Amino acid sequence: MSLPLLPTTAVGSYPKPAYLLEARRKFLRKHLSKEELTELERRATREWIQIQEDAGMDLLVDGEQYRGDMVAYFADEMEGFAIAGLVRSYGNRYYPKPVVVGPVGRRHPVTVEWFRYAQSLTSKPVKGMLTGPYTIAEWSFNEHYPTRRELVLELARAIHQEVVDLQRAGARYIQIDEPAIHTRPEEDFDLAVEAMEIVTDGVGAYTVSHICYGDVPKIYPAMLKLAVNQLDLALKNEEFALLETFKKSPFTKDIGLGVVDAHSHRVESVEEVANGIRRTLGVIPAKQIFISPDCGLKTRTAEETVGKLRNMVEATKLVRKELTETRNRGIAETRTAPR
Amino acid sequence: MRGAQPRSNLFKRGIATAPTGPRNDLVKDRLPVPELCEQETQLITTVVGNYPKIPDMPAPGKWRSAVEKFQKGQLTEAELRQVEDEVTLEAIQDQVDAGVDLITDGQIRWEDGQTHFARRLRGLSINGLQRYFDTNIYFREPVAEGEIAWVEPISVRDFEFARRHSPRPVKPVVTGPFTLARLGRNAYYQSGREFVLALARALNAELRALQEAGAEIIQVDEPALCRYKQEYPLFAEAMTVLVDGVNTKKVLCTYFGDVDGMYPQLLQLPFEVIGLDFVAGYRNWDVIARAPFTKTLMCGILDARNTRLETVDEIGRAIRRITDVVPPDRVMVAPSAGLEFLPHGVAKRKLQRLVEGTRAASQALKGVQA
Ligand SMILES: [Zn+2]
């Protein structure tokens, strides 16, 4: 089954339903077993798969209902990490920050079971979802490796094994999130590129890297060197200002085009989303574009999330129709044009 | 003999024996006392500023619970402020217990370094979340939408509260105009220069208010300087405006990078103490060796952004490297940045190790001199 023109997809996370949040709290207090928690995580995953199908999306995600934090989740499942404690990210939002205390590596596949489960629920393709080595390293304390480089490359080898396992489990689309990649562009960007080469080395699946929150123009066009097929970027939160950057040097990869803001409560209208896509078509050819929210939607309410996904799909259908009409008209005009 | 030189560091005398409680005049009286020779090599410890607001897991911590309740309307603003006061006292206590000589209030009430000041100045609005330098924490972007002006004291009440409850001298901290501008957006002024200078004028009023309130030392944080070195001339101009008429001791604190390319020019700025980060700004080790360091150096040598605890030995070696270049009586030892990047327990251990390592180094220096 192939994807339509302008395939619609998502970045990864969706909000957790109230029953799951409650269950996670109970689990932490040991009032709920791991099995009971997992069952509720599966229920929430089923619900999100259904919501995405109902919305008419083309390339689905599992919604990350089983994850707390995108780095801590991998740290918990891998060798060499401990959780150092809670660190504030903003306001009263805290995240459990991991610390590298020994050689890092995989004990067992981390995400493969969840991928299998999500894919078993739908005939639409589901993306395999990983956090990239640079981001895991950058967002962890390091008490073991003498240099960041050694840590990043060791993590890259571990994530590569995970990519291979996902592919073996049937994943045809694999996303490696690197939201921290532009942290030290002058010092470290080559290291991030080298790490991604290790991660996707010899992989036949279609690969995506999601990059957000930071100075993208600063790493453009260098970011096009990343060894993935697609870069998924947030365009909407800066009202498509990045298009000016892409005009200066052509966007040579596929783009996951963020068309709805993941951090605003407002549900963008169909027309507003369609306009964003239309503006992009003037800069990047349609066949290179996937349509996506700016970022994971886990901080939105379920209603906002469904509203944003629906309007994203409707807007995409509208633009597809316009493109088909233009093409048909073009063909008709060519046919009738005097030679 | 160093004893004959003017001492730029007045904070070492009598600090450990200071009484608790209201002590406005006591501090004033104590500070200018003449130096005692045997304490020459007693290095001063201090911090950059912020401190974790919540205890380690699994306790949610009263501050976090209070904010949640406040957001749900179950707590009044006055009740939330009360909790912030309590947490501030705990942050002060941690620093005092560890033996830090010159402390801050832990910046418990700061949402972030930008918003805390921008929200209370006229002419600025507060925009969406942005990543704070190369960290994984966020701040809200201030936007200049009109003429920027200082309206009322921003940090004076917090400074007075901390001083009233601290047996140690308290250093108020103000985010500098250059960093506020660089992490903000200008939608009003004709040029970036005017934006920076307008902020410098507004914050000058804040520094004067702190001086009025009796602050003996004021720290200005300018981490953005390390990222926008090419703008040094504008930075220097802004600093002159910022400290106009402010006669307290002043600390210019940089972090997240080095000052390569701006040294020794930096020593001409109107500050008595310069704070440098020797972890993220590891090039500073070479930089300070290039010209005599004529001011007091606040050296950030403990990594505020990694949980690994430096050993007493490592701290001693770092301090020896510093004192090879800067006389010990002009050295303050500190973490490389604010400690809120760390979980609470680790932050507390860093403070303890900071003092432990610095005291051991002071002893060693004394041995060398004897
Ligand atoms: Zn994102």
Side-chain angles (χ1 to χ4, degrees), chain A residues 83-95 99 138-139 141-143 179-180 182-184 212-213, chain B residues 53-54 57 63-64 67-68 71 110-112 129 131 134 136-140 305-308 340-343:
Chain A
I83 295 296
L86 291 176
V87 175
R88 195 165 72 101
S89 65
Y90 188 78
N92 66 338
R93 290 211 300 270
Y94 283 76
Y95 69 101
V99 49
E138 187 55 42
W139 290 356
F141 297 116
N142 170 19
E143 298 190 5
H182 34 35
T183 303
R184 292 184 201 83
C212 65
Y213 263 134
Chain B
K53 304 185 209 294
I54 66 165
M57 291 187 289
W63 179 80
R64 208 177 172 192
V67 172
E68 265 166 39
Q71 286 169 349
W110 294 29
E111 310 89 313
D112 63 68
L129 291 180
R131 193 186 293 231
D134 62 346
N136 191 19
I137 67 166
Y138 297 83
F139 67 93
R140 290 197 184 277
R305 292 174 58 183
N306 198 7
T307 48
R308 197 183 73 83
E340 215 197 345
F341 295 105
L342 298 170

Short mmCIF file of all heavy atoms in Angstrom, two decimals, chain A residues 83-95 99 138-139 141-143 179-180 182-184 212-213, chain B residues 53-54 57 63-64 67-68 71 110-112 129 131 134 136-140 305-308 340-343:
data_model
loop_
_atom_site.label_atom_id
_atom_site.label_comp_id
_atom_site.label_asym_id
_atom_site.label_seq_id
_atom_site.Cartn_x
_atom_site.Cartn_y
_atom_site.Cartn_z
N ILE A 83 18.35 7.16 37.06
CA ILE A 83 17.64 8.44 37.04
C ILE A 83 18.21 9.31 38.17
O ILE A 83 18.18 8.93 39.33
CB ILE A 83 16.12 8.24 37.21
CG1 ILE A 83 15.54 7.49 36.01
CG2 ILE A 83 15.41 9.60 37.39
CD1 ILE A 83 15.63 8.21 34.67
N ALA A 84 18.77 10.46 37.80
CA ALA A 84 19.42 11.32 38.80
C ALA A 84 18.40 12.02 39.68
O ALA A 84 18.66 12.26 40.86
CB ALA A 84 20.30 12.35 38.10
N GLY A 85 17.26 12.37 39.09
CA GLY A 85 16.25 13.09 39.86
C GLY A 85 15.48 14.03 38.97
O GLY A 85 15.64 14.02 37.75
N LEU A 86 14.65 14.85 39.60
CA LEU A 86 13.80 15.77 38.84
C LEU A 86 14.50 17.10 38.62
O LEU A 86 15.09 17.66 39.52
CB LEU A 86 12.50 16.02 39.60
CG LEU A 86 11.53 14.83 39.70
CD1 LEU A 86 10.33 15.20 40.56
CD2 LEU A 86 11.08 14.39 38.31
N VAL A 87 14.40 17.58 37.38
CA VAL A 87 14.96 18.87 37.03
C VAL A 87 13.86 19.69 36.38
O VAL A 87 13.07 19.18 35.59
CB VAL A 87 16.17 18.70 36.08
CG1 VAL A 87 16.69 20.05 35.63
CG2 VAL A 87 17.28 17.91 36.76
N ARG A 88 13.80 20.97 36.70
CA ARG A 88 12.72 21.81 36.19
C ARG A 88 12.97 22.19 34.73
O ARG A 88 14.07 22.54 34.35
CB ARG A 88 12.65 23.09 37.04
CG ARG A 88 11.37 23.88 36.86
CD ARG A 88 11.23 24.90 37.97
NE ARG A 88 12.18 25.98 37.83
CZ ARG A 88 11.86 27.19 37.33
NH1 ARG A 88 10.63 27.45 36.97
NH2 ARG A 88 12.78 28.11 37.22
N SER A 89 11.95 22.08 33.91
CA SER A 89 12.10 22.54 32.52
C SER A 89 11.45 23.90 32.34
O SER A 89 12.01 24.78 31.71
CB SER A 89 11.53 21.53 31.53
OG SER A 89 10.14 21.39 31.70
N TYR A 90 10.26 24.08 32.88
CA TYR A 90 9.67 25.41 32.92
C TYR A 90 8.51 25.44 33.90
O TYR A 90 7.81 24.45 34.03
CB TYR A 90 9.17 25.91 31.55
CG TYR A 90 8.76 27.35 31.67
CD1 TYR A 90 9.72 28.35 31.69
CD2 TYR A 90 7.43 27.69 31.89
CE1 TYR A 90 9.37 29.65 31.92
CE2 TYR A 90 7.07 29.01 32.11
CZ TYR A 90 8.05 30.00 32.13
OH TYR A 90 7.70 31.29 32.37
N GLY A 91 8.28 26.60 34.52
CA GLY A 91 7.15 26.73 35.44
C GLY A 91 7.25 25.64 36.49
O GLY A 91 8.29 25.48 37.10
N ASN A 92 6.18 24.90 36.68
CA ASN A 92 6.29 23.78 37.64
C ASN A 92 6.36 22.44 36.90
O ASN A 92 5.99 21.41 37.43
CB ASN A 92 5.15 23.81 38.66
CG ASN A 92 3.81 23.55 38.01
OD1 ASN A 92 3.65 23.74 36.82
ND2 ASN A 92 2.85 23.10 38.79
N ARG A 93 6.84 22.48 35.65
CA ARG A 93 7.04 21.24 34.91
C ARG A 93 8.45 20.71 35.17
O ARG A 93 9.44 21.41 34.97
CB ARG A 93 6.83 21.48 33.41
CG ARG A 93 5.37 21.76 33.05
CD ARG A 93 5.05 21.26 31.66
NE ARG A 93 5.85 21.90 30.63
CZ ARG A 93 5.51 23.02 30.01
NH1 ARG A 93 4.38 23.61 30.30
NH2 ARG A 93 6.28 23.53 29.09
N TYR A 94 8.51 19.49 35.60
CA TYR A 94 9.80 18.84 35.91
C TYR A 94 9.92 17.57 35.08
O TYR A 94 8.92 16.97 34.70
CB TYR A 94 9.87 18.49 37.39
CG TYR A 94 10.17 19.69 38.26
CD1 TYR A 94 9.19 20.63 38.55
CD2 TYR A 94 11.44 19.88 38.78
CE1 TYR A 94 9.47 21.74 39.34
CE2 TYR A 94 11.72 20.99 39.57
CZ TYR A 94 10.75 21.91 39.85
OH TYR A 94 11.04 23.00 40.62
N TYR A 95 11.13 17.16 34.80
CA TYR A 95 11.32 15.88 34.13
C TYR A 95 12.40 15.09 34.84
O TYR A 95 13.31 15.66 35.43
CB TYR A 95 11.64 16.08 32.64
CG TYR A 95 12.98 16.68 32.35
CD1 TYR A 95 14.05 15.90 31.94
CD2 TYR A 95 13.21 18.06 32.50
CE1 TYR A 95 15.28 16.45 31.68
CE2 TYR A 95 14.44 18.62 32.25
CZ TYR A 95 15.47 17.80 31.83
OH TYR A 95 16.71 18.36 31.58
N VAL A 99 21.08 9.80 34.26
CA VAL A 99 22.52 10.01 34.37
C VAL A 99 23.21 8.73 33.88
O VAL A 99 22.80 7.62 34.21
CB VAL A 99 22.92 10.35 35.83
CG1 VAL A 99 22.33 9.39 36.83
CG2 VAL A 99 24.44 10.38 35.98
N GLU A 138 22.65 14.39 25.24
CA GLU A 138 22.58 15.80 25.61
C GLU A 138 21.64 16.01 26.80
O GLU A 138 21.88 16.88 27.63
CB GLU A 138 22.11 16.60 24.39
CG GLU A 138 22.14 18.09 24.56
CD GLU A 138 23.49 18.64 24.99
OE1 GLU A 138 24.51 18.18 24.45
OE2 GLU A 138 23.51 19.52 25.88
N TRP A 139 20.60 15.24 26.88
CA TRP A 139 19.60 15.44 27.93
C TRP A 139 19.80 14.49 29.11
O TRP A 139 18.90 14.27 29.92
CB TRP A 139 18.19 15.35 27.36
CG TRP A 139 17.89 16.54 26.49
CD1 TRP A 139 18.70 17.62 26.28
CD2 TRP A 139 16.71 16.79 25.70
NE1 TRP A 139 18.10 18.52 25.42
CE2 TRP A 139 16.89 18.03 25.05
CE3 TRP A 139 15.53 16.06 25.48
CZ2 TRP A 139 15.92 18.56 24.20
CZ3 TRP A 139 14.57 16.61 24.63
CH2 TRP A 139 14.77 17.85 24.01
N PHE A 141 22.73 13.51 32.32
CA PHE A 141 24.01 13.80 32.96
C PHE A 141 24.96 12.67 32.58
O PHE A 141 24.54 11.57 32.25
CB PHE A 141 23.86 13.84 34.47
CG PHE A 141 22.94 14.93 34.97
CD1 PHE A 141 21.76 14.61 35.64
CD2 PHE A 141 23.27 16.26 34.79
CE1 PHE A 141 20.93 15.62 36.13
CE2 PHE A 141 22.44 17.28 35.27
CZ PHE A 141 21.26 16.95 35.94
N ASN A 142 26.24 12.94 32.61
CA ASN A 142 27.22 11.92 32.24
C ASN A 142 28.29 11.82 33.32
O ASN A 142 29.07 12.74 33.51
CB ASN A 142 27.84 12.28 30.89
CG ASN A 142 29.04 11.40 30.56
OD1 ASN A 142 29.21 10.32 31.12
ND2 ASN A 142 29.87 11.87 29.65
N GLU A 143 28.29 10.70 34.03
CA GLU A 143 29.32 10.49 35.05
C GLU A 143 30.30 9.40 34.64
O GLU A 143 31.15 9.02 35.41
CB GLU A 143 28.66 10.12 36.40
CG GLU A 143 27.74 11.20 36.94
CD GLU A 143 27.29 10.94 38.36
OE1 GLU A 143 27.75 9.96 38.98
OE2 GLU A 143 26.44 11.71 38.85
N PRO A 179 15.52 16.33 18.89
CA PRO A 179 15.18 17.72 19.19
C PRO A 179 16.34 18.52 19.78
O PRO A 179 16.28 19.74 19.81
CB PRO A 179 14.03 17.60 20.19
CG PRO A 179 14.15 16.23 20.76
CD PRO A 179 14.72 15.38 19.67
N ALA A 180 17.39 17.85 20.22
CA ALA A 180 18.52 18.58 20.83
C ALA A 180 19.65 18.82 19.84
O ALA A 180 20.70 19.34 20.21
CB ALA A 180 19.04 17.81 22.04
N HIS A 182 20.49 20.84 17.57
CA HIS A 182 21.11 22.15 17.30
C HIS A 182 21.61 22.81 18.59
O HIS A 182 21.77 24.02 18.66
CB HIS A 182 20.14 23.08 16.58
CG HIS A 182 18.72 22.88 16.97
ND1 HIS A 182 18.37 22.57 18.25
CD2 HIS A 182 17.58 22.90 16.25
CE1 HIS A 182 17.05 22.42 18.29
NE2 HIS A 182 16.55 22.61 17.10
N THR A 183 21.87 22.00 19.62
CA THR A 183 22.31 22.56 20.89
C THR A 183 23.64 23.31 20.76
O THR A 183 23.78 24.42 21.25
CB THR A 183 22.46 21.44 21.93
OG1 THR A 183 21.21 20.76 22.02
CG2 THR A 183 22.81 21.99 23.28
N ARG A 184 24.61 22.67 20.13
CA ARG A 184 25.92 23.32 19.96
C ARG A 184 26.35 23.17 18.51
O ARG A 184 27.24 22.38 18.21
CB ARG A 184 26.97 22.66 20.85
CG ARG A 184 26.75 22.89 22.32
CD ARG A 184 27.87 22.31 23.14
NE ARG A 184 27.39 22.13 24.48
CZ ARG A 184 26.69 21.07 24.87
NH1 ARG A 184 26.45 20.09 24.03
NH2 ARG A 184 26.25 21.00 26.10
N CYS A 212 13.16 20.01 16.69
CA CYS A 212 12.29 21.13 17.05
C CYS A 212 12.96 22.03 18.07
O CYS A 212 14.00 21.71 18.61
CB CYS A 212 10.95 20.64 17.56
SG CYS A 212 11.04 19.74 19.10
N TYR A 213 12.31 23.15 18.36
CA TYR A 213 12.72 24.08 19.42
C TYR A 213 14.16 24.49 19.34
O TYR A 213 15.01 24.00 20.07
CB TYR A 213 12.51 23.44 20.79
CG TYR A 213 11.21 23.85 21.41
CD1 TYR A 213 10.39 22.91 21.99
CD2 TYR A 213 10.83 25.17 21.40
CE1 TYR A 213 9.19 23.29 22.56
CE2 TYR A 213 9.64 25.54 21.95
CZ TYR A 213 8.83 24.62 22.54
OH TYR A 213 7.66 24.99 23.09
N LYS B 53 13.98 24.13 43.48
CA LYS B 53 12.81 24.55 44.26
C LYS B 53 12.09 23.38 44.93
O LYS B 53 11.23 23.59 45.78
CB LYS B 53 11.80 25.26 43.35
CG LYS B 53 12.35 26.45 42.56
CD LYS B 53 11.22 27.13 41.81
CE LYS B 53 11.67 27.81 40.53
NZ LYS B 53 12.57 28.93 40.71
N ILE B 54 12.38 22.16 44.49
CA ILE B 54 11.66 21.01 45.06
C ILE B 54 12.65 19.98 45.58
O ILE B 54 13.78 19.88 45.10
CB ILE B 54 10.71 20.36 44.03
CG1 ILE B 54 11.49 19.72 42.87
CG2 ILE B 54 9.68 21.36 43.52
CD1 ILE B 54 10.65 18.76 42.03
N MET B 57 12.84 13.17 44.51
CA MET B 57 11.74 12.21 44.42
C MET B 57 11.77 11.30 45.65
O MET B 57 12.83 11.02 46.17
CB MET B 57 11.89 11.36 43.16
CG MET B 57 11.67 12.14 41.89
SD MET B 57 11.67 11.06 40.43
CE MET B 57 13.39 10.56 40.29
N TRP B 63 6.39 23.52 47.14
CA TRP B 63 6.29 24.57 46.13
C TRP B 63 5.49 24.09 44.92
O TRP B 63 4.58 24.76 44.45
CB TRP B 63 7.69 25.02 45.68
CG TRP B 63 7.62 26.09 44.63
CD1 TRP B 63 7.40 27.42 44.83
CD2 TRP B 63 7.73 25.91 43.21
NE1 TRP B 63 7.37 28.09 43.63
CE2 TRP B 63 7.56 27.19 42.62
CE3 TRP B 63 7.95 24.81 42.38
CZ2 TRP B 63 7.62 27.39 41.25
CZ3 TRP B 63 8.00 25.00 41.01
CH2 TRP B 63 7.84 26.28 40.45
N ARG B 64 5.82 22.89 44.46
CA ARG B 64 5.15 22.36 43.29
C ARG B 64 3.66 22.12 43.57
O ARG B 64 2.81 22.45 42.74
CB ARG B 64 5.83 21.05 42.87
CG ARG B 64 5.71 20.77 41.42
CD ARG B 64 6.47 19.51 41.08
NE ARG B 64 6.20 19.13 39.70
CZ ARG B 64 6.53 17.95 39.20
NH1 ARG B 64 7.14 17.07 39.94
NH2 ARG B 64 6.25 17.67 37.94
N VAL B 67 1.90 25.51 43.61
CA VAL B 67 1.65 26.08 42.28
C VAL B 67 0.47 25.38 41.62
O VAL B 67 -0.41 26.02 41.04
CB VAL B 67 2.91 25.97 41.38
CG1 VAL B 67 2.60 26.38 39.95
CG2 VAL B 67 4.04 26.83 41.95
N GLU B 68 0.43 24.05 41.76
CA GLU B 68 -0.71 23.30 41.18
C GLU B 68 -2.03 23.77 41.79
O GLU B 68 -3.00 24.01 41.07
CB GLU B 68 -0.53 21.80 41.42
CG GLU B 68 0.12 21.09 40.24
CD GLU B 68 0.61 19.70 40.59
OE1 GLU B 68 -0.09 19.00 41.35
OE2 GLU B 68 1.70 19.32 40.12
N GLN B 71 -2.95 27.20 40.58
CA GLN B 71 -3.48 27.19 39.21
C GLN B 71 -4.92 26.69 39.17
O GLN B 71 -5.69 27.08 38.30
CB GLN B 71 -2.58 26.33 38.31
CG GLN B 71 -1.27 27.03 37.97
CD GLN B 71 -0.25 26.13 37.31
OE1 GLN B 71 -0.43 24.91 37.27
NE2 GLN B 71 0.80 26.72 36.77
N TRP B 110 11.71 33.14 40.91
CA TRP B 110 11.90 33.45 39.49
C TRP B 110 11.25 32.38 38.62
O TRP B 110 11.56 31.20 38.75
CB TRP B 110 13.39 33.50 39.14
CG TRP B 110 14.17 34.61 39.77
CD1 TRP B 110 13.92 35.22 40.97
CD2 TRP B 110 15.36 35.23 39.25
NE1 TRP B 110 14.87 36.18 41.22
CE2 TRP B 110 15.76 36.21 40.19
CE3 TRP B 110 16.10 35.05 38.09
CZ2 TRP B 110 16.88 37.00 39.98
CZ3 TRP B 110 17.22 35.83 37.89
CH2 TRP B 110 17.61 36.80 38.83
N GLU B 111 10.39 32.79 37.70
CA GLU B 111 9.88 31.85 36.70
C GLU B 111 11.05 31.45 35.81
O GLU B 111 11.28 30.29 35.53
CB GLU B 111 8.80 32.48 35.82
CG GLU B 111 7.69 33.18 36.56
CD GLU B 111 7.96 34.66 36.85
OE1 GLU B 111 9.07 34.99 37.33
OE2 GLU B 111 7.05 35.46 36.61
N ASP B 112 11.77 32.47 35.36
CA ASP B 112 13.03 32.30 34.63
C ASP B 112 13.73 33.65 34.68
O ASP B 112 13.13 34.65 35.08
CB ASP B 112 12.77 31.82 33.19
CG ASP B 112 11.99 32.83 32.37
OD1 ASP B 112 12.53 33.92 32.08
OD2 ASP B 112 10.83 32.56 32.02
N LEU B 129 7.44 30.16 24.79
CA LEU B 129 8.61 29.49 25.36
C LEU B 129 9.74 29.39 24.34
O LEU B 129 9.53 29.09 23.18
CB LEU B 129 8.25 28.08 25.82
CG LEU B 129 7.31 27.95 27.02
CD1 LEU B 129 7.06 26.48 27.32
CD2 LEU B 129 7.89 28.65 28.24
N ARG B 131 14.00 27.95 24.12
CA ARG B 131 15.03 27.21 24.82
C ARG B 131 16.09 28.15 25.39
O ARG B 131 16.52 29.09 24.72
CB ARG B 131 15.69 26.22 23.87
CG ARG B 131 16.54 25.21 24.60
CD ARG B 131 17.26 24.34 23.62
NE ARG B 131 16.33 23.51 22.88
CZ ARG B 131 16.44 22.20 22.75
NH1 ARG B 131 17.42 21.60 23.31
NH2 ARG B 131 15.58 21.52 22.06
N ASP B 134 22.04 26.52 25.56
CA ASP B 134 22.16 25.12 25.15
C ASP B 134 21.66 24.18 26.25
O ASP B 134 22.19 23.10 26.43
CB ASP B 134 23.62 24.80 24.78
CG ASP B 134 24.55 24.98 25.97
OD1 ASP B 134 24.13 25.60 26.96
OD2 ASP B 134 25.69 24.51 25.90
N ASN B 136 18.27 22.27 28.46
CA ASN B 136 16.96 21.70 28.17
C ASN B 136 15.91 22.36 29.06
O ASN B 136 14.95 21.74 29.48
CB ASN B 136 16.99 20.19 28.39
CG ASN B 136 15.74 19.53 27.84
OD1 ASN B 136 15.04 20.10 27.02
ND2 ASN B 136 15.45 18.33 28.32
N ILE B 137 16.13 23.62 29.37
CA ILE B 137 15.10 24.36 30.10
C ILE B 137 14.65 25.54 29.24
O ILE B 137 15.30 25.90 28.27
CB ILE B 137 15.57 24.81 31.50
CG1 ILE B 137 16.68 25.84 31.38
CG2 ILE B 137 16.02 23.63 32.35
CD1 ILE B 137 16.91 26.53 32.70
N TYR B 138 13.53 26.10 29.62
CA TYR B 138 12.88 27.08 28.76
C TYR B 138 12.61 28.39 29.49
O TYR B 138 12.57 28.43 30.71
CB TYR B 138 11.57 26.49 28.22
CG TYR B 138 11.84 25.29 27.37
CD1 TYR B 138 12.04 24.03 27.94
CD2 TYR B 138 12.00 25.42 26.00
CE1 TYR B 138 12.36 22.94 27.17
CE2 TYR B 138 12.31 24.32 25.22
CZ TYR B 138 12.50 23.08 25.81
OH TYR B 138 12.83 22.01 25.04
N PHE B 139 12.46 29.45 28.72
CA PHE B 139 12.07 30.74 29.29
C PHE B 139 11.06 31.36 28.35
O PHE B 139 10.94 30.94 27.19
CB PHE B 139 13.30 31.65 29.44
CG PHE B 139 13.88 32.09 28.11
CD1 PHE B 139 13.49 33.29 27.51
CD2 PHE B 139 14.79 31.29 27.45
CE1 PHE B 139 14.01 33.68 26.29
CE2 PHE B 139 15.32 31.67 26.21
CZ PHE B 139 14.93 32.87 25.64
N ARG B 140 10.33 32.35 28.84
CA ARG B 140 9.41 33.06 27.97
C ARG B 140 10.09 34.28 27.40
O ARG B 140 10.75 35.03 28.11
CB ARG B 140 8.13 33.43 28.71
CG ARG B 140 7.29 32.21 29.02
CD ARG B 140 5.85 32.56 29.38
NE ARG B 140 5.14 31.37 29.75
CZ ARG B 140 4.57 30.53 28.88
NH1 ARG B 140 4.63 30.79 27.58
NH2 ARG B 140 3.96 29.44 29.29
N ARG B 305 26.26 21.75 35.83
CA ARG B 305 25.32 21.10 34.91
C ARG B 305 25.59 19.60 34.78
O ARG B 305 25.10 18.96 33.86
CB ARG B 305 25.38 21.80 33.55
CG ARG B 305 24.81 23.22 33.66
CD ARG B 305 24.97 23.99 32.39
NE ARG B 305 24.34 23.33 31.27
CZ ARG B 305 24.39 23.77 30.03
NH1 ARG B 305 25.05 24.89 29.75
NH2 ARG B 305 23.80 23.12 29.06
N ASN B 306 26.39 19.07 35.67
CA ASN B 306 26.57 17.61 35.68
C ASN B 306 26.55 17.12 37.12
O ASN B 306 27.05 17.79 38.02
CB ASN B 306 27.87 17.21 34.98
CG ASN B 306 27.87 15.74 34.60
OD1 ASN B 306 26.86 15.04 34.74
ND2 ASN B 306 29.01 15.26 34.14
N THR B 307 25.98 15.93 37.32
CA THR B 307 25.81 15.39 38.66
C THR B 307 27.12 14.89 39.27
O THR B 307 27.21 14.72 40.47
CB THR B 307 24.82 14.22 38.64
OG1 THR B 307 25.18 13.34 37.58
CG2 THR B 307 23.40 14.72 38.43
N ARG B 308 28.12 14.61 38.43
CA ARG B 308 29.36 14.08 38.97
C ARG B 308 29.96 15.06 39.99
O ARG B 308 30.13 16.23 39.68
CB ARG B 308 30.37 13.83 37.85
CG ARG B 308 31.51 12.90 38.27
CD ARG B 308 32.53 12.75 37.15
NE ARG B 308 33.33 13.96 36.99
CZ ARG B 308 34.40 14.26 37.73
NH1 ARG B 308 34.81 13.44 38.66
NH2 ARG B 308 35.06 15.38 37.52
N GLU B 340 20.23 25.13 39.72
CA GLU B 340 18.91 24.56 39.46
C GLU B 340 18.91 23.57 38.29
O GLU B 340 17.89 22.95 38.01
CB GLU B 340 17.86 25.66 39.23
CG GLU B 340 16.51 25.24 39.80
CD GLU B 340 15.32 26.06 39.28
OE1 GLU B 340 15.51 27.13 38.70
OE2 GLU B 340 14.19 25.56 39.47
N PHE B 341 20.05 23.42 37.63
CA PHE B 341 20.16 22.40 36.59
C PHE B 341 20.24 21.01 37.20
O PHE B 341 20.18 20.01 36.50
CB PHE B 341 21.40 22.64 35.73
CG PHE B 341 21.33 23.92 34.95
CD1 PHE B 341 22.06 25.03 35.33
CD2 PHE B 341 20.51 24.02 33.84
CE1 PHE B 341 21.99 26.21 34.63
CE2 PHE B 341 20.43 25.20 33.13
CZ PHE B 341 21.17 26.30 33.52
N LEU B 342 20.45 20.94 38.50
CA LEU B 342 20.68 19.66 39.18
C LEU B 342 19.49 19.30 40.06
O LEU B 342 18.79 20.18 40.55
CB LEU B 342 21.93 19.76 40.05
CG LEU B 342 23.24 20.05 39.32
CD1 LEU B 342 24.35 20.37 40.32
CD2 LEU B 342 23.63 18.87 38.45
N PRO B 343 19.28 18.01 40.30
CA PRO B 343 18.29 17.63 41.31
C PRO B 343 18.75 18.15 42.67
O PRO B 343 19.95 18.39 42.89
CB PRO B 343 18.34 16.09 41.28
CG PRO B 343 18.98 15.72 39.99
CD PRO B 343 19.92 16.84 39.66
#
